[in-house]
């Protein structure tokens, strides 16, 4: 087990993006560490605005920052709103990272995404593959912004000696996800669609694309655990992949979700919708060598996510997909 180099106990820790799925999982996990958790009120701080971000940081004086605020969304949202995805993410990360350095933040963890890697990268995808080939066109805007975030952390480390690190999670799912079908990722979308089909007795559920793309899915509470682990134990310049090391096809995923929800009908593949990247499986050996592995099996994570979906009720209600504060 890698030694702890940064102790969160007693520190003032800001979770930027605390209302999003990742941010709220981080807040849950950090509650166990003995740190003081800071969150920025959304009506007062828009992280896309530099002045507001700097004012908040100067007042809150965080010692550590988890930069989980981002505009996020599934394949359709990325493909149809490129300006939102590139602008919001560039602004949020540039403002927070620069303000963190100016305010003397001791440690910052930036969160990226596995879509930073070339579309046709060799699988599983290892960290050095970054910037070695063309990106997937449906999400290149988001990917470019996230690559810029990694580079910001590296540049502030090289020029200013800032201890800013970056983690690249694979596709995520779990409690607190967005179920608005125009914005959501595949797991919440299929939970919502199959739940509705089960309730109404519909014979088929619409699955976008061919069902052949392969994805790796990480339960968000496992991610939060990995992020706290990296914050306390990793100080390198290279970004670190966070995943499970296992993937499956979208068709298989749909069947697994059908089992959880109780939907026994047919899958209707809509090939007018994009497949996106053919395969995205991260090489997680760097993180494993450092001493961390994911623990929540997909079946258990899906069951817990479905429980959360049912508990929150009103399925299909649109939730904001940008977590600026
Ligand atoms: O989860 P998803 O939107 O993200 O889609 P990406 C994954 C796969 O599931 C794609 C298929 O092949 C979709 O065509 N799919 C099937 C569906 N049915 C559905 C559905 O009802 N809704 C959705 N959303 N997908 C995003 C990127 O890519 O993943 C982001 O656009 C980011 O930039 C994120 O990296 C993690 O894996 O394709």
């Amino acid at each position: 087990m890698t030694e702890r180099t940064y102790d969160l106990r007693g520190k003032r820790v800001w979770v930027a993006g605390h209302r999003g799925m990742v941010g709220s999982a981080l807040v849950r996990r950090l509650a166990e560490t003995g740190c003081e958790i800071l969150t920025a009120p959304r009506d007062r701080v828009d992280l896309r605005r530099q002045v507001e971000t700097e004012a908040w940081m100067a007042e809150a004086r965080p010692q550590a920052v988890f930069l989980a605020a981002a505009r996020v969304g599934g394949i359709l949202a990325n493909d149809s709103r490129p300006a939102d995805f590139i602008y919001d993410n560039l602004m949020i990360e540039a403002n927070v990272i620069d303000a963190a350095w100016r305010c003397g933040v001791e440690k910052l963890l930036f969160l990226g995404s596995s879509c930073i890697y070339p579309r046709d990268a060799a699988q599983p995808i290892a960290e050095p593959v970054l910037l070695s080939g063309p990106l997937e066109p449906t999400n290149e805007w988001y990917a470019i912004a996230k690559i810029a975030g990694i580079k910001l952390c590296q540049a502030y480390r090289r020029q200013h000696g800032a201890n800013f690190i970056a983690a690249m999670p694979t596709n995520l799912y779990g409690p607190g996800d967005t179920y608005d079908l125009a914005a959501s990722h595949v797991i919440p979308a299929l939970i919502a669609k199959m739940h509705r089909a089960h309730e109404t007795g519909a014979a088929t559920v619409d699955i976008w694309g061919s069902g052949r793309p392969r994805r790796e899915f990480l339960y968000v509470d496992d991610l939060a655990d990995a992020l706290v682990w990296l914050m306390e134990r990793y100080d390198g310049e290279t970004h670190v992949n966070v995943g499970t090391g296992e993937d499956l096809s979208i068709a298989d995923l749909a069947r697994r979700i059908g089992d959880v929800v109780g939907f026994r009908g047919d899958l209707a593949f809509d090939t007018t919708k994009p497949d996106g990247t053919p395969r995205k499986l991260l090489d997680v050996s760097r993180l494993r060598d450092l001493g961390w592995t994911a623990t929540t099996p997909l079946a258990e994570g899906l069951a817990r996510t479905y429980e959360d979906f049912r508990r929150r009720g009103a399925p299909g209600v649109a939730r904001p997909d940008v977590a600026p504060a």
Side-chain angles (χ1 to χ4, degrees), residues 75 78 113 115 139 142 171 184 186 193 208 215 274-275 280:
I75 192 164
N78 268 268
S113 160
C115 70
N139 58 35
Y142 180 72
N171 286 35
S184 63
V186 61
K193 290 199 251 187
W208 295 356
R215 294 288 184 274
D275 270 346
K280 252 193 295 187

Side-chain angles (χ1 to χ4, degrees), residues 7 18 49-50 83 94-95 98 123 136-137 159 175 222 273 282 284 290 299 310 316 320:
D7 192 347
H18 68 283
R49 308 282 167 254
Q50 185 185 33
N95 289 339
D98 185 70
Q123 309 284 321
E136 155 62 29
Q159 189 177 333
D222 281 7
K273 295 283 196 310
L282 292 180
V284 289
L290 288 166
R310 294 182 66 129

Side-chain angles (χ1 to χ4, degrees), residues 6-123:
Y6 187 75
D7 192 347
L8 285 168
R9 269 174 304 181
K11 299 275 183 187
R12 295 169 60 76
V13 181
W14 177 27
V15 179
H18 68 283
R19 289 158 52 113
M21 178 174 73
V22 172
S24 45
L26 267 169
V27 169
R28 286 195 291 278
R29 176 63 184 83
L30 285 168
E32 302 163 13
T33 64
C35 70
E36 182 186 347
I37 301 170
L38 310 175
T39 56
R42 196 176 182 147
D43 54 349
R44 251 189 61 207
V45 193
D46 181 340
L47 298 177
R48 292 168 297 188
R49 308 282 167 254
Q50 185 185 33
V51 173
E52 291 179 30
T53 307
E54 287 182 349
W56 155 255
M57 293 278 266
E59 183 189 316
R61 294 174 293 101
Q63 290 164 291
V65 176
F66 287 90
L67 181 35
R71 176 172 290 279
V72 298
I75 192 164
L76 190 67
N78 268 268
D79 202 22
S80 51
R81 287 155 43 210
D84 292 352
F85 276 82
I86 194 163
Y87 177 83
D88 289 353
N89 287 306
L90 282 173
M91 295 307 287
I92 292 169
E93 66 206 24
N95 289 339
V96 173
I97 289 170
D98 185 70
W101 166 64
R102 286 179 194 284
C103 292
V105 164
E106 296 163 2
K107 192 145 186 196
L108 176 144
L109 185 149
F110 169 72
L111 231 92
S113 160
S114 58
C115 70
I116 58 164
Y117 293 112
R119 176 182 202 270
D120 297 316
Q123 309 284 321

Side-chain angles (χ1 to χ4, degrees), residues 73-75 78 113-126 135-136 138-139 142-143 168-172 185-186 212-218 241-250 275-284:
I75 192 164
N78 268 268
S113 160
S114 58
C115 70
I116 58 164
Y117 293 112
R119 176 182 202 270
D120 297 316
Q123 309 284 321
I125 313 170
L135 298 164
E136 155 62 29
T138 53
N139 58 35
Y142 180 72
M168 295 306 117
T170 193
N171 286 35
L172 302 169
H185 289 97
V186 61
R212 283 192 299 270
R214 297 182 69 84
R215 294 288 184 274
E216 174 188 18
F217 295 99
L218 178 69
N241 288 342
V242 187
T244 63
E246 288 170 21
D247 67 351
L248 78 174
S249 72
I250 296 301
D275 270 346
T277 310
R279 193 176 182 199
K280 252 193 295 187
L281 174 65
L282 292 180
D283 181 340
V284 289

